Amino acid sequence: MKRRSTPLVKGFRQSAPYLNAHVGKTMVIMVGGEAFADPNFSNIVNDIALLNSLGIQIVIVYGARPQISALLAEQDCYSPYHKGIRITDERSLEIAKQAAGQLQLDITARFSMGLHNTPMAGAQINIISGNFIVAQPLGIDDGIDYCHSGKIRRIDTDAIKRQLEQGSIVLLGPIASSVTGECFNLTSEEVATQVAIRLKADKLIGFCSELGVLDDNSEVISELLPNEADEILQNLIDERAQDCGTGRFLRGAISACRAGVPRSHLVSYKEDGALIQELFSVDGIGTQIVMASAEKVRRANINDIGGILDLIQPLEQDGILVRRSREQLEQEITQFTIVERDNLIIGCAALYPFPDEKMAEMACVAIHPDYRDGNRGVLLLNELCQQARQQKLEHLFVLTTRSLHWFREQGFSECDVERLPMAKKALYNYQRRSKILITKLKQMTIN
């Protein structure tokens, strides 16, 4: 009896392409002050250490808003905000330096000592902090003097890269000094965003209390384009909502994506393993902001044969698809269209034209089991219909043993063998008894 692979084996196999893709890449991880008090923070430290051990170059940018606010309250000191930025007078600055310095020590200690009794026990994790950022004052806005609140003037990217190339994790906080030796309080989202942009990082990653960005039904939105993220941000009318961890990260992610950072990810600091699941699973667990969709439909080429075979062979073994040899697939590869996600082929279909009869066959339709709840079949059907129209064909037909209802929903109707082109009719397998469905392309409306 054939045994099915365990979830561990399946998960490890699915993660393999992502492991290969991430090695040597640069990730900037933004951790707000809210995450440090959560019981799951020790797991986040372990997961970041694991990423570092895999050869991923990591910059951690930490915030300290709640810690600064708590110390201010203890010392009966008031520090108001203007446009989401704390107005940092001299007394507030000293308190901010105290809170940020304490967090820096705590984080360093976690990586140095907090990995005992974990799979990363004994790993040598080097945490490097330094004067990588030069700040300047924000100045006055709307008549409001920001005092010692500042913004980035310069980032020593060469020095950061040297540390990353040596395998160290670079740790950056919200306090930076100016060329005149003054200290300024920066926002962690500006530091993380600008570091990601100027390092040309592959990813910007942030943490929030939710699983990611939620829709009106409290479901996670898995992917956003910058303009969509901007619309969500604008809909957060309440300034406090805009200034929450999610709002601050979205502002940074929008800027980062538009400046060339390929992807930004938002995950929960409360969910154990959220960072690993987001980076190394097929669907992820949080929200990613990308300049272009992670999925694309395109024509296949010779380099896609292995991925197509991986996709269709299980369906061939179950008798759902007609078997194709690798040699046959190589000869017919130009007929195939694929759906690609993160360099993985998750869907395919082939178009075989019969010009004399002005017809075409849609064949070898396959969608990865983990993606059958989406609209990938419709995407492929749309693309193949467009290809058929460009060839001035009038009808599209399919032969199927399992997907009769789905094709009916897309506007196909059943017909008999006599409607098939002569060449296809001669090859019809009466033992297989496939249902034949056909549609007129010009009249077709796709759901």
Side-chain angles (χ1 to χ4, degrees), residues 12-192:
F12 189 78
R13 287 172 176 166
Q14 287 181 344
S15 69
Y18 300 100
L19 288 168
N20 292 329
H22 292 329
V23 171
K25 297 299 175 65
T26 302
M27 299 183 187
V28 177
I29 301 177
M30 170 182 158
V31 186
E34 300 83 1
F36 298 110
D38 193 87
N40 187 53
F41 183 66
S42 60
N43 293 323
I44 294 175
V45 169
N46 291 335
D47 290 344
I48 293 175
L50 174 60
L51 296 181
N52 175 253
S53 74
L54 293 173
I56 297 172
Q57 298 181 344
I58 295 174
V59 178
I60 300 174
V61 177
Y62 68 91
R65 284 196 178 202
Q67 289 79 7
I68 294 172
S69 296
L71 281 177
L72 287 167
E74 286 179 11
Q75 300 187 32
D76 197 25
C77 182
Y78 178 63
S79 179
Y81 283 84
H82 180 63
K83 295 184 178 179
I85 297 174
R86 189 190 300 276
I87 299 171
T88 312
D89 58 20
E90 288 190 17
R91 187 179 177 192
S92 299
L93 177 63
E94 293 306 311
I95 292 172
K97 288 162 65 177
Q98 181 183 344
Q102 184 63 55
L103 274 179
Q104 177 185 327
L105 293 172
D106 288 347
I107 295 169
T108 302
R110 292 281 191 123
F111 279 98
S112 300
M113 302 172 60
L115 303 182
H116 295 301
N117 300 319
T118 76
M120 292 302 298
Q124 181 64 40
I125 307 294
N126 294 319
I127 304 295
I128 304 297
S129 300
N131 58 340
F132 298 109
I133 294 175
V134 176
Q136 62 184 8
L138 274 173
I140 299 172
D141 181 39
D142 294 335
I144 303 296
D145 188 348
Y146 282 106
C147 301
H148 290 280
S149 291
K151 60 183 179 180
I152 292 174
R153 178 176 181 178
R154 187 169 64 247
I155 300 174
D156 191 348
T157 54
D158 290 338
I160 293 176
K161 288 177 181 178
R162 284 196 295 270
Q163 297 300 330
L164 295 176
E165 288 166 359
Q166 293 174 13
S168 300
I169 293 176
V170 173
L171 180 64
L172 303 175
I175 305 296
S177 59
S178 68
V179 292
T180 59
E182 299 175 273
C183 288
F184 289 93
N185 184 20
L186 312 179
T187 63
S188 58
E189 59 268 27
E190 187 205 5
V191 175

Side-chain angles (χ1 to χ4, degrees), residues 378-392:
V378 172
L379 288 174
L380 286 167
L381 181 54
N382 275 325
E383 179 63 24
L384 265 60
C385 285
Q386 181 64 25
Q387 293 175 22
R389 291 189 187 101
Q390 290 173 353
Q391 297 178 49
K392 302 188 183 306

